[in-house]
C-alpha cells in the first residue's frame, strides 16, 4: 500500500475519532434529549441527505458526458455490483431481515456494495494507476451513487409502501404503486438525479454561480459523513451481534471484487489498467453514504457504522492482496 493511501486512511480515522469525541462529550446535545427529533447525529444526517448530497448528485448528473463514457468498463463494474446488491437485498428479505424494519434489506444491500470511492478510492487510483487510471476511476464514480442510491431508493420505498398497506387493508394495489412512485420520485436522492438528467439532456451548461454553489455544498458531504460515523459510534454503539457485520464485510471486501474480476476478465475480456481500476474500486471499504441511507430510514445504524469502520480497517490488509492478484493478470 502506498504512503499516499495510508495517510488518507489515517486522516479518515482521525476525522471519525473527532466525531466520536464530539458525540461522547455530547457537545451537540444528547441523543435522548427532546425525543428522536433532538438526536444530533440524525439532524446532521438529514442536513446531508436534504442539502449536500442532492447538490452533489445534481451537479454530477448535469455535467457528465454520456457520449464519451467507456460503456464496457462501466458494464464490467456495475454488472456485478448491482447483481450482488439485488442478491443481498433478496436474501435478506427471504431471511426475514425486515423484522428490523422494512428498510433493513435495502440498508444491508447498500452496506455490502457501496464503496468509499472518494476519500479512499481517488488517492488509491492516483497512487496505483496514475493519471490515466484516475480518469477511469472518476468516470465510474460519476455513476456510482446515481445508480446504487436510485435503485435502492425505489426498493426501500416499495417495501415501506407494502408495510403501510399491511397496516391499512383498505389500500388497493393502485394506491400502493402510486404512493411508491411518488415517494421514489419526490426524494432527496432521485429528484436531483432526474433534474440533472433533464438538464443534461437539454444540453444546458450550469451557470458559473450555480456551479460554484453546488460544488461548495457538495464538498461538505465528505467531512460531514466522516464525523457522522464517529458520532454514530458514540450515540448508538456497536451492534450486539457482529455476525451480520462479518457477512457484510466478506461481501464487500472479498466477494464483490472477486465477482468483478471474474465478470470483467473472463466475461467481457477486460484487461490491463481498466481491469485493475474496476477490481480495486470494487475492493474499497464501505462508503459513508451507507450510513446516511441507514439514518434516513432509521434502520440498522449501529450495524452500518460498524461495517464502515471495520471494512476501512481491514482494507489495509485486503488491498495489497488484491493488488498482488491483479499483478498475476496484468504482469
Amino acid at each position: 500500500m502506498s504512503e499516499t493511501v495510508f495517510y488518507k486512511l489515517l486522516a479518515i480515522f482521525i476525522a471519525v475519532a473527532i466525531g466520536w469525541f464530539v458525540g461522547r462529550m455530547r457537545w451537540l446535545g444528547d441523543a435522548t434529549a427532546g425525543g428522536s427529533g433532538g438526536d444530533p447525529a440524525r439532524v446532521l444526517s438529514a442536513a446531508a441527505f436534504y442539502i449536500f448530497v442532492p447538490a452533489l448528485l445534481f451537479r454530477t448528473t448535469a455535467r457528465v458526458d454520456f457520449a464519451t463514457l467507456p460503456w464496457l468498463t462501466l458494464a464490467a463494474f456495475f454488472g456485478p455490483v448491482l447483481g450482488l446488491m439485488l442478491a443481498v437485498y433478496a436474501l435478506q428479505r427471504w431471511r426475514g431481515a425486515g423484522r428490523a424494519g422494512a428498510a433493513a434489506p435495502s440498508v444491508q444491500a447498500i452496506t455490502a456494495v457501496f464503496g468509499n470511492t472518494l476519500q479512499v478510492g481517488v488517492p488509491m487510483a492516483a497512487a496505483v494507476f496514475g493519471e490515466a487510471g484516475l480518469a477511469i476511476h472518476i468516470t465510474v464514480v460519476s455513476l456510482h451513487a446515481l445508480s446504487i442510491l436510485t435503485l435502492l431508493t425505489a426498493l426501500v420505498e416499495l417495501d415501506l409502501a407494502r408495510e403501510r398497506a399491511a397496516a391499512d387493508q383498505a389500500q388497493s394495489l393502485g394506491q400502493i404503486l402510486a404512493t411508491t412512485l411518488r415517494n421514489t420520485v419526490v426524494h432527496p436522492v432521485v429528484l436531483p438525479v432526474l433534474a440533472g438528467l433533464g438538464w443534461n439532456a437539454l444540453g444546458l451548461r450550469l451557470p458559473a454561480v450555480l456551479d460554484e454553489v453546488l460544488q461548495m455544498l457538495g464538498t461538505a458531504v465528505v467531512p460531514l459523513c466522516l464525523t457522522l460515523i464517529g458520532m454514530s459510534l458514540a450515540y448508538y454503539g456497536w451492534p450486539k451481534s457482529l455476525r451480520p457485520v462479518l457477512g457484510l464485510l466478506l461481501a464487500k471486501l472479498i466477494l464483490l471484487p472477486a465477482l468483478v474480476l471474474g465478470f470483467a476478465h473472463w466475461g467481457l475480456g477486460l484487461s490491463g489498467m481498466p481491469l485493475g481500476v474496476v477490481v480495486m474500486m470494487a475492493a474499497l471499504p464501505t462508503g459513508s453514504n451507507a450510513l446516511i441511507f441507514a439514518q434516513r430510514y432509521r434502520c440498522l445504524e449501529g450495524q452500518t457504522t460498524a461495517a464502515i469502520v471495520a471494512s476501512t480497517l481491514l482494507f489495509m490488509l485486503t488491498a495489497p492482496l488484491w493488488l498482488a492478484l491483479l499483478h498475476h493478470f496484468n504482469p
Side-chain angles (χ1 to χ4, degrees), residues 17-27 29 230-231 233-235 237:
I18 291 173
W20 178 85
F21 183 75
V22 170
R24 289 290 293 177
M25 297 298 293
R26 300 301 192 260
W27 284 348
M231 289 183 65
L233 277 175
Y235 282 116

Side-chain angles (χ1 to χ4, degrees), residues 30 36 42 53 112 128 160 168-169 175 202 214 216 220 226-227 240 251 258 269 299:
D30 197 317
S36 61
R42 293 193 192 279
V53 171
V128 176
L160 290 172
D168 183 6
Q169 299 294 334
Q175 290 174 316
L202 292 174
L214 293 173
M216 178 177 60
L226 290 178
T227 52
K240 295 180 180 179
C299 181

Side-chain angles (χ1 to χ4, degrees), residues 193-217:
V193 169
L194 294 177
L197 288 173
W199 191 283
N200 197 320
L202 292 174
L204 301 174
R205 294 184 58 132
L206 290 173
V209 174
L210 177 59
D211 187 58
E212 183 69 24
V213 171
L214 293 173
Q215 184 179 25
M216 178 177 60
L217 292 174

Side-chain angles (χ1 to χ4, degrees), residues 22-245:
V22 170
R24 289 290 293 177
M25 297 298 293
R26 300 301 192 260
W27 284 348
L28 299 183
D30 197 317
T32 60
S36 61
D39 186 333
R42 293 193 192 279
V43 172
L44 290 179
S45 178
F49 211 81
Y50 284 98
I51 301 174
F52 304 117
V53 171
L56 179 64
L57 292 176
F58 176 79
R59 183 174 185 267
T60 301
T61 317
R63 290 163 55 93
V64 67
D65 186 359
F66 290 98
T68 61
L69 291 178
W71 292 107
L72 183 65
T73 303
L74 292 173
F77 178 78
F78 284 108
V81 167
L82 296 180
L84 179 60
M85 182 184 77
L86 292 174
V88 172
Y89 167 82
L91 176 63
Q92 295 305 324
R93 283 207 65 199
W94 176 74
R95 294 177 61 183
R99 287 193 297 268
S106 296
V107 170
Q108 291 178 312
I110 193 174
T111 306
V113 302
F114 199 100
N116 191 330
T117 57
L118 294 177
Q119 301 104 305
V120 178
V122 168
M124 183 200 66
V128 176
F129 303 107
E131 187 175 339
L134 180 61
I136 298 174
H137 179 88
I138 293 298
T139 301
V140 180
V141 169
S142 68
L143 299 178
H144 184 249
L146 308 183
S147 57
I148 295 175
L149 287 176
T150 301
L151 179 55
L152 277 179
T153 296
L155 290 175
V156 73
E157 290 297 339
L158 182 59
D159 286 340
L160 290 172
R162 287 197 195 100
E163 186 179 59
R164 287 189 292 265
D168 183 6
Q169 299 294 334
Q171 277 195 323
S172 65
L173 177 61
Q175 290 174 316
I176 295 173
L177 293 176
T179 301
T180 303
L181 181 62
R182 182 180 67 251
N183 291 342
T184 302
V185 173
V186 186
H187 190 278
V189 167
V190 179
L191 194 58
V193 169
L194 294 177
L197 288 173
W199 191 283
N200 197 320
L202 292 174
L204 301 174
R205 294 184 58 132
L206 290 173
V209 174
L210 177 59
D211 187 58
E212 183 69 24
V213 171
L214 293 173
Q215 184 179 25
M216 178 177 60
L217 292 174
T219 55
V221 172
V222 171
L224 182 57
C225 287
L226 290 178
T227 52
L228 268 174
I229 293 170
M231 289 183 65
S232 297
L233 277 175
Y235 282 116
Y236 311 133
W238 288 85
K240 295 180 180 179
S241 174
L242 292 178
R243 186 175 178 181
V245 176

